Amino acid sequence: MLLLSPLQIDFLNSVIVDLQKKNQELKDKLETMAAASLNGNNPSELDNYDSHDKQPAKKKPPPRLFCDICDCFDLHDTEDCPTQMQMPDSPPHTTYHGTKGEERPYCDICEVFGHWTDSCNDDQTF
């Protein structure tokens, strides 16, 4: 038979008391989680069941805006860069303000309006 000193008995009793407290805390947490899941909370809300005495976890801030063209932070994103010239979806509207029935001079060589083909000064032939 093993004989224990009073000091060893006190130590073992304190360990038993600590384990009983820990066991009761875990039971309480389990009950809280079970009640929360029955109330329709999602799993991420169940993770912070014991955080009522702690600060809420801070969310990660969104990434900073950065422009690869201007090489600058926080002004705009590369896709929104004002120096980036984007082609319009449709061709620009005409600036001709003549009458609708009038024939406009067009050059087949230069492929531009403004003069006729027979009066073209372009010396290059293809």
Side-chain angles (χ1 to χ4, degrees):
M1 183 161 130
L2 182 65
L3 294 175
L4 299 174
S5 70
L7 190 59
Q8 290 174 324
I9 293 173
D10 288 341
F11 172 73
L12 290 175
N13 284 335
S14 69
V15 169
I16 291 171
V17 168
D18 288 342
L19 288 174
Q20 287 176 339
K21 285 181 184 177
K22 182 96 174 177
N23 194 20
Q24 186 59 42
E25 288 174 6
L26 290 173
K27 283 181 182 178
D28 292 343
K29 288 180 184 180
L30 183 61
E31 287 176 13
T32 304
M33 289 176 61
S37 67
L38 291 176
N39 290 335
N41 295 344
N42 61 30
S44 64
E45 292 172 343
L46 299 178
D47 289 342
N48 56 8
Y49 55 87
D50 61 343
S51 64
H52 52 80
D53 56 342
K54 299 177 187 174
Q55 290 285 339
K58 292 188 178 183
K59 292 183 179 179
K60 187 176 180 182
R64 293 173 64 185
L65 293 175
F66 179 73
C67 178
D68 292 319
I69 298 170
C70 300
D71 199 31
C72 61
F73 279 99
D74 299 327
L75 294 178
H76 54 268
D77 198 29
T78 304
E79 295 174 358
D80 301 327
C81 183
T83 60
Q84 175 176 285
M85 188 67 172
Q86 294 186 357
M87 294 296 292
D89 292 338
S90 61
H93 295 289
T94 181
T95 57
Y96 179 69
H97 298 292
T99 59
K100 205 171 197 180
E102 183 182 345
E103 188 177 4
R104 293 175 59 190
Y106 179 75
C107 177
D108 291 321
I109 298 171
C110 301
E111 296 182 347
V112 294
F113 288 99
H115 62 276
W116 294 105
T117 304
D118 56 350
S119 61
C120 182
N121 294 336
D122 191 4
D123 294 335
Q124 296 179 352
T125 43
F126 302 101

